Amino acid sequence: MSSGAKIKSDSNISLGKNIKHFRNIREYSQAYMVKELQLRGCNTSKQSYSKYEKDIAHISASELLAIADILEIPIDKLFTKTLIKEAN
């Protein structure tokens, strides 16, 4: 998939925490997510994916669509205001 628009979390919505939340519900590993993204034509590395979940890197719109597809959720679920606080 080609690089295009990039999306980043803001102070109200944490894409990374939302992605991680739904990934954990499915019990998918980060390695599984990367493999599935690559199978869908995304050029995503393990390092990049980890940064997405930590909200320290921009994610492309096509990667975001692929993630929603892998997690079998509507894409708008990834844009939900973060209500879950991560335990340290």
Side-chain angles (χ1 to χ4, degrees):
M1 291 186 174
S2 64
S3 295
K6 297 279 186 168
I7 302 166
K8 186 144 173 47
S9 299
D10 63 25
S11 61
N12 293 312
I13 298 172
S14 171
L15 289 171
K17 285 182 183 176
N18 290 340
I19 291 168
K20 184 175 182 179
H21 170 74
F22 289 108
R23 176 179 63 79
N24 286 335
I25 288 173
R26 291 267 182 210
E27 299 181 353
Y28 293 161
S29 67
Q30 286 187 348
Y32 175 82
M33 294 295 293
V34 171
K35 181 185 79 164
E36 289 297 314
L37 284 163
Q38 291 172 347
L39 289 172
R40 286 167 171 78
C42 297
N43 187 21
T44 308
S45 68
K46 292 177 186 176
Q47 294 82 9
S48 294
Y49 184 84
S50 177
K51 289 179 182 180
Y52 298 156
E53 285 195 359
K54 293 176 185 173
D55 286 325
I56 56 176
H58 296 279
I59 185 168
S60 73
S62 20
E63 286 170 314
L64 205 54
L65 284 169
I67 288 169
D69 184 52
I70 295 163
L71 297 173
E72 298 178 27
I73 58 171
I75 194 165
D76 63 317
K77 293 275 192 184
L78 297 176
F79 290 94
T80 304
K81 285 189 177 183
T82 305
L83 303 173
I84 301 164
K85 302 254 189 224
E86 267 191 77
N88 292 328

